[in-house]
Amino acid sequence: MNLHHPFGFEWGDLVAIFTLIGVVATYANFAISHTAKDSNRADFEQLNASIAKLNETMVKVNMVLDSLKADRESTIRRLDKIEATTDRHDIQLARIEEHVMTNGDK
């Protein structure tokens, strides 16, 4: 191997070849990274859209839960009133039964 002509090329030719390889590698790197950034951007936009839809759904779910909570509280209040009325009626019925029993024995 001749040091003045390695691989059969002049030194200027070798520099040109390595420069060309470097330019091609730089372009390939740029193209790949640009494509990756575009892909990530599209994925990020899709993720943002999905999160926005999820937020809308969660707002609706919270509204329904609030409505159910209000309905449950209303039902509990009505049930408490019915129980209190039932207790009063039971007491009245017991008094009537006691009155009938005591007057029926006479």
Side-chain angles (χ1 to χ4, degrees):
M1 183 163 122
N2 186 354
L3 288 178
H4 295 288
H5 300 289
F7 304 109
F9 295 106
E10 296 285 330
W11 281 106
D13 294 337
L14 286 175
V15 169
I17 290 171
F18 285 124
T19 302
L20 180 62
I21 291 171
V23 167
V24 169
T26 302
Y27 177 75
N29 183 26
F30 174 76
I32 290 170
S33 67
H34 185 68
T35 303
K37 286 179 185 177
D38 287 344
S39 175
N40 285 342
R41 186 176 300 121
D43 290 344
F44 187 69
E45 288 172 0
Q46 184 179 7
L47 180 63
N48 279 339
S50 296
I51 289 173
K53 289 179 185 177
L54 178 63
N55 283 338
E56 290 175 14
T57 303
M58 290 307 295
V59 167
K60 291 177 184 177
V61 167
N62 283 336
M63 289 172 50
V64 169
L65 287 175
D66 288 343
S67 174
L68 288 173
K69 181 180 175 186
D71 289 347
R72 184 174 180 269
E73 289 172 353
S74 172
T75 303
I76 289 173
R77 282 193 301 273
R78 286 183 21 224
L79 184 60
D80 288 344
K81 287 179 184 178
I82 290 171
E83 286 176 350
T85 303
T86 303
D87 289 344
R88 283 195 311 271
H89 288 168
D90 287 343
I91 292 170
Q92 288 176 353
L93 182 60
R95 286 181 184 161
I96 291 171
E97 287 176 349
E98 180 182 334
H99 181 68
V100 167
M101 294 297 241
T102 56
N103 287 340
D105 291 338
K106 291 183 181 180

